[in-house]
Amino acid sequence: MEGVPLEHILILSALLFSLGILAVITKRHAVVVLMGIELIFNAANLNLVAFSRFDPLLLQGQLFSLFVMLVAAAEAAVALAIVLRVYQLFKTANLNQINHLSK
């Protein structure tokens, strides 16, 4: 089975991971930071599936990838609920302007 070489997949995964880290570190809007975290999760999923391609009898890579997707979905739901509540309290989603826990 010919396909995309592993090196190309790993380079794409490294780019996704780097963009996710860049978004988490440099951006101050809460939703953009959450999108950066999702990019990091997707880079990890891409690595898991790419490496599991070399062991077709065992499905650990696909199972771990499914688990990461479930955790990412739960994280996104909880994090967006928190962001909405913080926006209701502080009228901003800018992380620099939210410097205390209560109003």
Side-chain angles (χ1 to χ4, degrees):
M1 178 174 102
E2 284 297 317
V4 180
L6 179 64
E7 294 82 19
H8 294 167
I9 297 172
L10 294 179
I11 290 170
L12 176 63
S13 177
L15 286 173
L16 281 175
F17 186 82
S18 300
L19 287 174
I21 290 292
L22 185 69
V24 169
I25 291 174
T26 60
K27 302 299 180 184
R28 294 296 106 204
H29 196 276
V31 175
V32 177
V33 171
L34 291 175
M35 289 184 346
I37 293 170
E38 292 297 323
L39 279 176
I40 293 169
F41 281 149
N42 287 331
N45 278 341
L46 191 57
N47 277 338
L48 288 170
V49 172
F51 283 121
S52 72
R53 198 174 100 191
F54 291 102
D55 193 9
L57 298 178
L58 301 174
L59 296 175
Q60 282 100 359
Q62 284 91 352
L63 291 176
F64 280 128
S65 180
L66 181 63
F67 179 72
V68 170
M69 283 189 273
L70 292 173
V71 169
E75 173 264 335
V78 170
L80 286 175
I82 291 171
V83 168
L84 286 174
R85 183 66 181 144
V86 166
Y87 185 79
Q88 286 176 345
L89 289 175
F90 296 103
K91 302 298 184 224
T92 184
N94 189 342
L95 297 176
N96 286 335
Q97 295 175 354
I98 304 168
N99 57 6
H100 55 283
L101 292 177
S102 64
K103 218 170 175 179

